[in-house]
Amino acid sequence: MQRAAALVLRGCCPRTLGPWGRSQSSAAAEASAVLKVRPERSRRERILTLESMNPQVKAVEYAVRGPIVLKAGEIELELQRGIKKPFTEVIRANIGDAQAMGQQPITFLRQVMALCTYPNLLDSPSFPEDAKKRARRILQACGGNSLGSYSASQGVNCIREDVAAYITRRDGGVPADPDNIYLTTGASDGISTILKILVSGGGKSRTGVMIPIPQYPLYSAVISELDAIQVNYYLDEDNCWALNVNELRRAVQQAKEHCNPKVLCIINPGNPTGQVQSRKCIEDVIHFAWEEKLFLLADEVYQDNVYSPDCKFHSFKKVLYEMGPEYSSNVELASFHSTSKGYMGECGYRGGYMEVINLHPEIKGQLVKLLSVRLCPPVSGQAAMDIVVNPPVPGEESFEQFSREKESVLGNLAKKAKLTEDMFNQVPGIHCNPLMGAMYAFPRIFIPAKAMEAAQAHKMAPDMFYCMKLLEETGICVVPGSGFGQREGTYHFRMTILPPVEKLKTVLQKVKDFHIKFLEKYA
Amino acid sequence: MQRAAALVLRGCCPRTLGPWGRSQSSAAAEASAVLKVRPERSRRERILTLESMNPQVKAVEYAVRGPIVLKAGEIELELQRGIKKPFTEVIRANIGDAQAMGQQPITFLRQVMALCTYPNLLDSPSFPEDAKKRARRILQACGGNSLGSYSASQGVNCIREDVAAYITRRDGGVPADPDNIYLTTGASDGISTILKILVSGGGKSRTGVMIPIPQYPLYSAVISELDAIQVNYYLDEDNCWALNVNELRRAVQQAKEHCNPKVLCIINPGNPTGQVQSRKCIEDVIHFAWEEKLFLLADEVYQDNVYSPDCKFHSFKKVLYEMGPEYSSNVELASFHSTSKGYMGECGYRGGYMEVINLHPEIKGQLVKLLSVRLCPPVSGQAAMDIVVNPPVPGEESFEQFSREKESVLGNLAKKAKLTEDMFNQVPGIHCNPLMGAMYAFPRIFIPAKAMEAAQAHKMAPDMFYCMKLLEETGICVVPGSGFGQREGTYHFRMTILPPVEKLKTVLQKVKDFHIKFLEKYA
């Protein structure tokens, strides 16, 4: 039918309409006609289906934006449409996005970014000179003096130098080499890239990647994508989520039976668990990695988020170096940082870096080659990272305001961490380990047997059932522990501590009330 | 030796130094001592080597930033160090980065971005109201009204709506659904993600991906990474790089013998070839994809770069729709656009989008899930994309300046395209097809037999040998045709048309002079 009409049309405007050409309205009319007559026969079987797609992608899960968050989105739409609920807003306590919950960006950072974005502002009296100085430095290092040019695939040179200087200062003088610094599109991009290069082999030689349980589910997702072998090591909940080297040993021995364990991932401070590893623990881990010939990944994006006065952040790089040359010349390490956390909360800019230690020069060449296919990380995110590592210093005009804002954010987070830990520990049936760092609570919840049965009837994991009920009854969206991993028979959820203090108090009260009711209902 | 010292130290500061702890200076001293005594024994064999790395990553090549560009970088460093060369600067004509070559960003776009970055500027009289209006719209749609929050993984909602409205206008009313729009980290990210989902199967069922030869080497790189099968179809150089459906048929028939051809990639306007496909050709391709059940990828990032008055950009989406429901309801299509090209040249922001047509709803769910692992594309890049699709309109304050700047950039590019084509065609031994669009020349070079021998002696492909000599003698960096693919026995190079007019004329003259000398030398 179409071909006949087409042949008639072929005579006119051959350059604008081919044999199948027709106007929009006649096509639309025909479409309606055809669909009315034989709706099923118009739609062929698709090429891309759940069955034909990449099975490795199908296996990927990412709970932080998973089913419960999709449900939260549906509920928000219902609220917008005026459907009555026991609450007036959904509180998204599922994701570590501080600015989404009202945290203000650091003024100085945004000033420098604005100057880089629209350099006319360099002539404006409304911007401080120290911000202009940094903007000029960044722009001079960019192609065409513009954030709009691709940078080198490893990142803008002077920003890499600034990152190296930052690391050196942070680590009390332990030197960092700019050549070992790679700017990335958030830390997730760097972690994913390094894992991609590492994974090889087949059958029992397939690369095993050791990850903490509970983990940040980027790791399990990338391991799925790459068809690598996930090797779980359990953090010790009874010991404030400490990392026990005996458990590492147990995990690697078992893993060797079915894969080639090659990589050890550490998150410090921990996500979701919030523990800050002691220096001794870090040394033990490094020694273990050296012994077992494991490539170390140190995810340190929460390095600025340490609240407990008894804890201190020690970078893996620094500890490695200070353990002497047998370690510092041999252990292969990649450490990651990001603009998304800390006191900056610049998630949307997708800024990050990785520092690699003891990588074979040929591998570094391979790394740059792989990165070059995506050209470069967003230059605006690189600029944001530059300000993070090169902030105002005493004597500079912006220093006071910068310090005030930074201390305010971090002080606030520390206060909210304590508040959350204390509040949860007052609730019968909830136990929350100390929130030493990061920005989450990961309390353990004790789910009564009747609730377990109800969950099973709903074909849900018990903690997912709990979190769904919490969401439906209070509008509070948290992520069930099963999304991060937990010891068999234990249940948790991860909640951020990011809402403003007063709102957080309300949230915590609502969770407490919900939990007590839940216990009563399923007693 | 270390353990003994450690036991002594163990007594003091147990929390700050573990058994292997030592101060930086003693560690450094020991490191020197050890390295002096037994340098080789300190360095163990590495875990991550060329042999142990991911073989799929090892196979990846990306010529646009490949060996010749690394060489250009070395030469630049030599110039900086004062080493004398036959030229004073390296001209990087290897990469489609307009702003790096001096093209100015569009004022309005940077104004809106600055307002979004530093909203204090919304109170500044120095910014036009139409820019402020757009900035407010974008910020209101962002979490916490900030570019620093993660967006939804599919992208900021109102930006997706703006993209859909743009597509609808562009395509003369053919409707686009915001739900089919996904914002991406440059077009490369979208292309890579779609290919990742598509690739499956093993042995003779492994997914085959049809790509044009010559191609933009992102495609071959991603195919390598995914261990998919690359299926080449040759563009017709004798016919201005036209796409011939008979050649598609030839390619797919041959491919079926050893893989499962599932995907057909088109680049229109073409890169590196610069051809703009006729509407009839696009219809033929769509019909072929429908017949052979191929998923269509339409890379349309140069849709604003059409210079030839005889050519017009027709989007695959529009043509598909106008071919009637048998096609428009069945053919699965993904189309890509970017902020990097056009008149904007905003490469560094990594802005882009893809529009998907006829994807199974379950697949769209899988797509969002996969994207969610990386959280979201850079929100600043999304904002840039928003201004591209929602620019000033007649009646708005910024319209005149915007139009002037846009026309100036595009007029300039058109002039340089013609200049380049004409200049190359005056050189004996160089033939350049018409530059209908995009931003590259891909001239054919005829390499004399003696030069072929010299190339072989240097263990280089003849066109790499040519380009290396060009670089060493003139400082001009172009990419050999072998980086993009070409018919056996033919040689080309890709050069951008992006340097400013006067510089471009100089570059072209130098290439001409070099080529004539080259022909004489190897006569």
Side-chain angles (χ1 to χ4, degrees):
Chain A
M1 181 165 106
Q2 290 161 354
R3 277 241 160 111
L7 286 165
V8 167
L9 283 168
R10 198 199 281 270
C12 60
C13 308
R15 261 182 64 236
T16 52
L17 294 174
W20 300 278
R22 60 190 66 247
S23 73
Q24 178 190 336
S25 49
S26 70
E30 169 142 307
S32 303
V34 166
L35 286 166
K36 282 194 195 110
V37 172
R38 18 173 228 185
E40 292 76 34
R41 286 176 68 183
S42 299
R43 166 77 77 190
R44 300 195 308 193
E45 197 190 299
R46 285 182 174 90
I47 297 157
L48 184 53
T49 63
L50 286 190
E51 290 69 44
S52 71
M53 72 177 281
N54 184 336
Q56 282 149 228
V57 171
K58 196 153 62 170
V60 165
E61 288 173 348
Y62 182 70
V64 174
R65 281 198 156 173
I68 195 150
V69 182
L70 296 173
K71 181 76 186 172
E74 288 169 23
I75 291 176
E76 263 174 345
L77 288 173
E78 289 173 7
L79 280 171
Q80 275 171 33
R81 286 199 298 265
I83 296 172
K84 288 264 165 273
K85 302 265 173 199
F87 48 87
T88 51
E89 60 165 344
V90 166
I91 295 175
R92 286 175 176 263
N94 57 293
I95 186 168
D97 186 343
Q99 292 190 22
M101 303 307 282
Q103 181 178 303
Q104 292 302 298
I106 298 293
T107 303
F108 184 77
L109 189 145
R110 292 303 186 91
Q111 285 175 332
V112 179
M113 306 270 309
L115 290 161
C116 288
T117 300
Y118 190 56
N120 284 27
L121 293 171
L122 290 164
D123 296 328
S124 161
S126 315
F127 287 81
E129 196 50 47
D130 46 11
K132 292 182 179 179
K133 186 171 153 202
R134 279 167 183 72
R136 284 190 195 103
R137 172 176 163 76
I138 292 168
L139 289 175
Q140 254 156 32
C142 293
N145 298 334
S146 169
L147 293 191
S149 295
Y150 293 121
S151 73
S153 300
Q154 200 171 339
V156 176
N157 277 2
C158 80
I159 297 178
R160 295 194 292 116
E161 287 167 15
D162 290 349
V163 169
Y166 160 81
I167 291 172
T168 305
R169 281 191 315 271
R170 178 197 69 190
D171 293 347
V174 172
D177 181 351
D179 200 52
N180 288 335
I181 306 299
Y182 295 73
L183 289 158
T184 56
T185 306
S188 301
D189 170 42
I191 290 162
S192 164
T193 300
I194 289 288
L195 285 173
K196 189 184 290 189
I197 290 190
L198 275 160
V199 172
S200 66
K204 288 192 172 179
S205 304
R206 193 70 180 154
T207 298
V209 181
M210 300 179 69
I211 67 173
I213 297 298
Q215 51 128 4
Y216 172 54
L218 166 71
Y219 292 91
S220 47
V222 173
I223 287 166
S224 283
E225 249 185 79
L226 297 174
D227 206 23
I229 309 298
Q230 180 172 323
V231 177
N232 296 336
Y233 66 86
Y234 291 83
L235 300 178
D236 189 355
E237 183 160 19
D238 296 332
N239 218 342
C240 300
W241 297 115
L243 202 166
N244 189 327
V245 174
N246 287 330
E247 168 57 13
L248 289 180
R249 230 166 252 132
R250 191 269 324 146
V252 83
Q253 287 318 317
Q254 265 184 300
K256 282 175 180 172
E257 287 165 29
H258 64 276
C259 72
N260 175 24
K262 208 199 275 183
V263 191
L264 171 56
C265 301
I266 310 285
I267 310 173
N268 183 50
N271 176 7
T273 48
Q275 90 283 11
V276 177
Q277 301 297 354
S278 69
R279 181 175 175 127
K280 175 171 189 322
C281 172
I282 295 172
E283 287 173 354
D284 289 348
V285 169
I286 291 173
H287 176 71
F288 173 78
W290 173 86
E291 239 182 353
E292 292 289 336
K293 290 210 177 59
L294 299 169
F295 190 110
L296 259 175
L297 261 67
D299 179 344
E300 299 176 329
V301 302
Y302 296 100
Q303 57 189 262
D304 286 314
N305 300 106
V306 175
Y307 311 126
S308 169
D310 301 319
C311 296
K312 191 171 176 245
F313 171 73
H314 300 280
S315 75
F316 265 75
K317 158 69 179 317
K318 179 190 72 169
V319 176
L320 174 64
Y321 187 96
E322 290 175 350
M323 283 171 68
E326 182 54 38
Y327 297 95
S328 61
S329 299
N330 285 314
V331 173
E332 287 151 81
L333 167 70
S335 308
F336 304 89
H337 196 19
S338 162
T339 61
S340 302
K341 314 299 176 185
Y343 58 90
M344 309 80 72
E346 297 289 7
C347 303
Y349 279 97
R350 316 313 286 111
Y353 73 72
M354 57 186 174
E355 179 187 22
V356 300
I357 299 295
N358 289 324
L359 260 62
H360 197 295
E362 285 175 331
I363 288 294
K364 289 173 76 178
Q366 289 288 323
L367 182 51
V368 172
K369 180 191 74 174
L370 182 61
L371 294 169
S372 76
V373 179
R374 300 295 186 279
L375 290 146
C376 70
V379 182
S380 52
Q382 297 187 48
M385 195 77 235
D386 192 57
I387 301 138
V388 170
V389 301
N390 191 17
V393 292
E396 285 191 300
E397 182 181 347
S398 301
F399 178 70
E400 267 188 50
Q401 181 181 25
F402 168 78
S403 300
R404 227 181 15 245
E405 290 178 0
K406 174 179 175 180
E407 291 321 312
S408 168
V409 167
L410 292 177
N412 223 310
L413 284 168
K415 184 168 151 184
K416 293 191 288 185
K418 195 76 183 70
L419 172 76
T420 303
E421 179 190 329
D422 290 347
M423 190 72 157
F424 276 141
N425 282 325
Q426 289 168 12
V427 183
I430 296 186
H431 175 256
C432 187
N433 269 334
L435 265 58
M436 302 177 206
M439 35 184 73
Y440 313 97
F442 195 67
R444 182 158 172 202
I445 45 177
F446 296 86
I447 298 186
K450 274 196 180 165
M452 302 275 218
E453 289 162 20
Q456 199 163 22
H458 283 82
K459 293 184 167 47
M460 280 189 204
D463 49 5
M464 175 63 90
F465 178 73
Y466 178 97
C467 292
M468 279 291 185
K469 288 274 167 249
L470 176 67
L471 174 60
E472 287 162 9
E473 290 175 28
T474 68
I476 298 165
C477 179
V478 299
V479 189
S482 40
F484 304 86
Q486 54 206 347
R487 277 207 182 276
E488 186 85 32
T490 68
Y491 305 102
H492 305 77
F493 63 80
R494 188 188 82 165
M495 191 188 92
T496 72
I497 59 166
L498 297 174
V501 174
E502 288 316 306
K503 181 165 257 180
L504 182 62
K505 286 179 181 169
T506 311
V507 166
L508 291 167
Q509 187 61 45
K510 288 188 176 188
V511 175
K512 175 179 184 178
D513 294 342
F514 164 83
H515 189 84
I516 289 169
K517 266 205 248 125
F518 187 88
L519 289 182
E520 282 168 11
K521 177 170 181 184
Y522 296 100
Chain B
M1 186 167 103
Q2 288 161 354
R3 277 238 160 111
L7 287 164
V8 168
L9 284 166
R10 198 198 281 269
C12 60
C13 310
R15 262 183 62 234
T16 51
L17 294 176
W20 299 276
R22 62 190 66 249
S23 72
Q24 178 190 338
S25 51
S26 69
E30 170 143 306
S32 302
V34 168
L35 288 167
K36 283 195 194 111
V37 172
R38 13 170 230 184
E40 294 76 34
R41 286 175 67 183
S42 298
R43 166 78 76 192
R44 299 194 308 193
E45 198 191 297
R46 283 183 175 88
I47 298 158
L48 184 52
T49 64
L50 286 191
E51 291 68 43
S52 71
M53 72 176 281
N54 184 335
Q56 282 148 230
V57 171
K58 195 152 63 171
V60 164
E61 286 172 349
Y62 182 70
V64 175
R65 282 197 154 174
I68 195 149
V69 182
L70 296 173
K71 181 76 185 170
E74 288 168 24
I75 291 176
E76 263 172 346
L77 288 173
E78 289 172 5
L79 280 170
Q80 275 171 33
R81 286 200 297 268
I83 295 171
K84 287 265 167 275
K85 302 266 173 197
F87 47 87
T88 51
E89 62 166 343
V90 166
I91 296 176
R92 287 177 177 261
N94 57 296
I95 187 167
D97 187 344
Q99 293 189 21
M101 303 308 283
Q103 181 177 302
Q104 293 303 295
I106 298 293
T107 303
F108 185 78
L109 188 145
R110 293 303 187 90
Q111 286 175 331
V112 179
M113 307 270 307
L115 289 161
C116 289
T117 301
Y118 190 56
N120 283 26
L121 293 170
L122 289 164
D123 296 327
S124 162
S126 314
F127 287 81
E129 197 49 48
D130 46 11
K132 292 181 178 180
K133 186 171 151 199
R134 279 166 182 75
R136 286 190 193 102
R137 172 176 163 80
I138 291 168
L139 289 176
Q140 254 156 28
C142 292
N145 298 333
S146 170
L147 293 191
S149 297
Y150 292 121
S151 73
S153 300
Q154 199 170 340
V156 176
N157 277 2
C158 82
I159 298 179
R160 293 193 292 115
E161 286 167 17
D162 291 350
V163 168
Y166 160 81
I167 291 172
T168 306
R169 283 193 313 272
R170 178 198 69 190
D171 293 346
V174 172
D177 180 352
D179 200 52
N180 287 334
I181 306 298
Y182 296 72
L183 289 159
T184 57
T185 307
S188 300
D189 171 42
I191 290 162
S192 165
T193 300
I194 289 287
L195 284 173
K196 188 185 289 187
I197 290 191
L198 275 161
V199 171
S200 65
K204 287 194 173 181
S205 303
R206 194 67 181 157
T207 298
V209 181
M210 299 179 69
I211 66 173
I213 296 299
Q215 52 128 7
Y216 171 54
L218 165 71
Y219 292 92
S220 49
V222 174
I223 288 167
S224 280
E225 250 185 77
L226 296 175
D227 206 22
I229 308 298
Q230 180 172 323
V231 177
N232 296 337
Y233 66 86
Y234 291 83
L235 300 178
D236 189 354
E237 183 160 21
D238 296 332
N239 219 341
C240 301
W241 297 116
L243 201 166
N244 191 326
V245 174
N246 287 330
E247 168 57 14
L248 289 179
R249 231 166 251 132
R250 191 272 322 146
V252 82
Q253 287 319 316
Q254 264 184 301
K256 283 175 179 173
E257 287 164 31
H258 63 274
C259 72
N260 174 24
K262 207 199 277 182
V263 192
L264 171 56
C265 301
I266 310 285
I267 310 173
N268 183 51
N271 176 6
T273 48
Q275 88 283 11
V276 177
Q277 301 296 354
S278 69
R279 184 179 171 124
K280 176 171 188 322
C281 172
I282 294 173
E283 289 174 353
D284 289 349
V285 169
I286 291 172
H287 176 70
F288 172 78
W290 173 87
E291 238 181 358
E292 293 289 338
K293 290 208 177 60
L294 300 168
F295 189 110
L296 259 174
L297 262 67
D299 179 343
E300 299 175 329
V301 302
Y302 296 100
Q303 57 188 265
D304 286 314
N305 301 106
V306 175
Y307 311 126
S308 169
D310 302 319
C311 295
K312 189 170 177 251
F313 170 74
H314 300 281
S315 75
F316 264 74
K317 157 69 178 319
K318 178 189 74 168
V319 176
L320 174 64
Y321 188 97
E322 290 174 351
M323 283 171 70
E326 182 53 38
Y327 298 93
S328 60
S329 299
N330 285 313
V331 173
E332 289 151 81
L333 167 69
S335 307
F336 304 89
H337 195 19
S338 162
T339 60
S340 303
K341 314 297 175 187
Y343 58 90
M344 308 79 72
E346 298 289 7
C347 302
Y349 279 98
R350 314 314 286 113
Y353 73 73
M354 59 186 172
E355 180 187 23
V356 299
I357 299 296
N358 290 323
L359 260 61
H360 197 295
E362 284 175 330
I363 288 294
K364 290 173 76 178
Q366 289 289 321
L367 182 49
V368 172
K369 179 191 75 172
L370 182 61
L371 294 168
S372 76
V373 179
R374 300 294 187 278
L375 290 145
C376 70
V379 183
S380 52
Q382 298 186 46
M385 194 76 236
D386 191 58
I387 300 139
V388 171
V389 300
N390 191 16
V393 292
E396 285 190 300
E397 181 181 348
S398 302
F399 179 70
E400 267 188 49
Q401 181 181 27
F402 168 79
S403 301
R404 225 179 21 242
E405 290 177 0
K406 174 180 174 180
E407 292 319 312
S408 168
V409 167
L410 291 177
N412 222 311
L413 284 168
K415 183 168 153 186
K416 294 190 290 186
K418 194 80 183 67
L419 172 75
T420 303
E421 179 190 329
D422 290 346
M423 191 72 159
F424 276 140
N425 282 325
Q426 288 167 16
V427 184
I430 296 187
H431 175 257
C432 187
N433 270 335
L435 266 58
M436 301 176 207
M439 35 183 73
Y440 313 98
F442 194 69
R444 182 157 172 202
I445 46 176
F446 295 86
I447 298 186
K450 275 195 179 164
M452 301 276 220
E453 289 163 23
Q456 200 164 22
H458 283 80
K459 292 183 167 44
M460 279 189 205
D463 48 5
M464 176 62 91
F465 178 72
Y466 178 96
C467 293
M468 278 292 184
K469 287 271 165 254
L470 176 67
L471 174 61
E472 287 163 10
E473 291 176 29
T474 69
I476 297 165
C477 180
V478 299
V479 189
S482 41
F484 304 88
Q486 54 206 347
R487 277 206 182 275
E488 186 85 29
T490 67
Y491 305 101
H492 306 76
F493 63 80
R494 189 189 82 166
M495 191 187 92
T496 72
I497 59 166
L498 297 174
V501 174
E502 288 315 307
K503 181 164 258 179
L504 182 63
K505 286 179 182 169
T506 312
V507 166
L508 291 167
Q509 186 61 46
K510 288 187 176 188
V511 175
K512 176 176 180 177
D513 295 341
F514 164 83
H515 189 85
I516 288 167
K517 268 206 245 122
F518 188 87
L519 289 181
E520 283 166 10
K521 178 171 182 184
Y522 295 101

